[in-house]
Amino acid sequence: MRIIFFGPPGSGKGTQADRMSKRYNLHHLSTGLLLREEIQKNSELGKRIRKIVESGHLVDDAIVNEEVFSKVKEYDRFLLDGYPRNLIQAEDLDDYLEEEKKPLSGAIFITIPDTEVIERLSGRLTCSRCGFTGKQPMYHSGDACIRCGTALIERNDDRTEVIEQRLVHYHDLTKHLEKYYNDRLLIIDGMGTVDQVTLRLEEALSIWE
Ligand code: AMP
């Protein structure tokens, strides 16, 4: 199985992608995480990426494609989380996978309303190492991540004005993805408890297993 996950920020796609990759033995690749790792290296590229990510805009397709393709090459079964984010990336990915003779099984689109996105992201803390997220006041900035022990931080791009900017991009770009994946697309309702969404996904993904 080779699938992509997309949905608005805060739709729970990271958490669900993590669960599905374990359930179906898929290599989980999150572009958000790959880019944050690059930022942490503080390389010239990392500094360039930091500026873009912190402003809530999308990183250049060429940079992201290179990060993704170099990883995808190594695995036969994978789940891409946060990529592709636009039509160009989607077409480039299909072209690349065709060359590699590893076509996508399909795309999963997790949906939640905008009001829910803002509610979920405000006060969210993230582990910069493994991507785990928790909400204040249950978790505090600087607390050790319950999965890997790294300190939890408030991401700069989880500030309200940046969330709004991310939503604008999301609506503008993902409508093209819905159309593009059309007959390879499964739409999953992201509302409800994490376990409820997991059950919906497990059932949906079983068709590609
Ligand atoms: P995420 O953790 O998926 O919400 O991504 C955090 C940020 O990383 C986004 O707001 C973008 O700036 C950048 N990013 C992640 N994935 C991509 C992508 N596929 N294309 C361009 N930028 C991306």
Side-chain angles (χ1 to χ4, degrees), residues 93-125:
L93 176 67
D94 270 342
D95 288 348
Y96 179 76
L97 292 178
E98 196 181 321
E99 271 171 37
E100 292 283 305
K101 303 209 173 3
K102 298 197 286 198
L104 273 189
S105 312
I108 296 284
F109 180 25
I110 303 184
T111 59
I112 58 167
D114 285 2
T115 45
E116 182 72 11
V117 172
I118 292 165
E119 162 65 30
R120 288 188 186 184
L121 293 195
S122 308
R124 184 173 84 154
L125 298 170

Side-chain angles (χ1 to χ4, degrees), residues 3-201:
I3 52 173
I4 65 160
F5 258 49
F6 65 100
S11 58
K13 66 181 160 54
T15 307
Q16 298 295 348
D18 194 51
R19 288 184 169 197
M20 289 307 115
S21 53
K22 289 189 176 105
R23 167 75 176 76
Y24 287 104
N25 192 27
L26 309 170
H27 188 76
H28 179 188
L29 278 170
S30 150
T31 42
L33 212 57
L34 280 178
L35 295 170
R36 284 193 287 282
E37 277 169 14
E38 196 65 54
I39 290 173
Q40 287 199 331
K41 288 184 201 159
N42 216 20
S43 59
E44 279 315 306
L45 179 62
K47 285 179 194 158
R48 223 170 101 202
I49 294 174
R50 180 194 296 272
K51 271 197 196 146
I52 303 171
V53 170
E54 290 189 354
S55 67
H57 290 88
L58 289 176
V59 176
D60 315 29
D61 296 328
I63 296 177
V64 184
N65 283 350
E66 201 178 313
E67 296 271 349
V68 171
F69 296 168
S70 67
K71 296 277 181 201
V72 154
K73 203 177 175 59
E74 296 173 32
Y75 302 95
D76 191 42
R77 295 169 64 82
F78 55 78
L79 180 162
L80 294 176
D81 163 14
Y83 177 94
R85 280 285 230 284
N86 61 37
L87 205 50
I88 294 170
Q89 291 179 6
E91 288 171 346
D92 287 348
L93 176 67
D94 270 342
D95 288 348
Y96 179 76
L97 292 178
E98 196 181 321
E99 271 171 37
E100 292 283 305
K101 303 209 173 3
K102 298 197 286 198
L104 273 189
S105 312
I108 296 284
F109 180 25
I110 303 184
T111 59
I112 58 167
D114 285 2
T115 45
E116 182 72 11
V117 172
I118 292 165
E119 162 65 30
R120 288 188 186 184
L121 293 195
S122 308
R124 184 173 84 154
L125 298 170
T126 305
C127 171
S128 56
R129 178 139 179 262
C130 74
F132 169 81
T133 57
K135 286 270 279 186
Q136 300 175 51
M138 188 166 170
Y139 296 95
H140 304 90
S141 186
D143 279 359
C145 167
I146 56 165
R147 279 209 309 234
C148 73
T150 307
L152 298 177
I153 51 160
E154 176 163 35
R155 279 169 47 177
N156 281 332
D157 57 345
D158 279 349
R159 284 175 290 128
T160 310
E161 63 280 19
V162 184
I163 295 170
E164 280 162 8
Q165 181 65 51
R166 289 166 76 191
L167 271 172
V168 169
H169 275 298
Y170 163 73
H171 286 300
D172 190 35
L173 296 172
T174 54
K175 63 176 185 239
H176 299 298
L177 290 186
E178 276 191 81
K179 217 164 157 190
Y180 180 77
Y181 286 109
N182 185 14
D183 54 347
R184 293 182 284 172
L185 182 70
L186 292 177
I187 297 177
I188 302 291
D189 177 8
M191 294 297 281
T193 66
V194 176
D195 287 342
Q196 283 169 336
V197 180
T198 299
L199 276 179
R200 282 175 211 142
L201 279 164

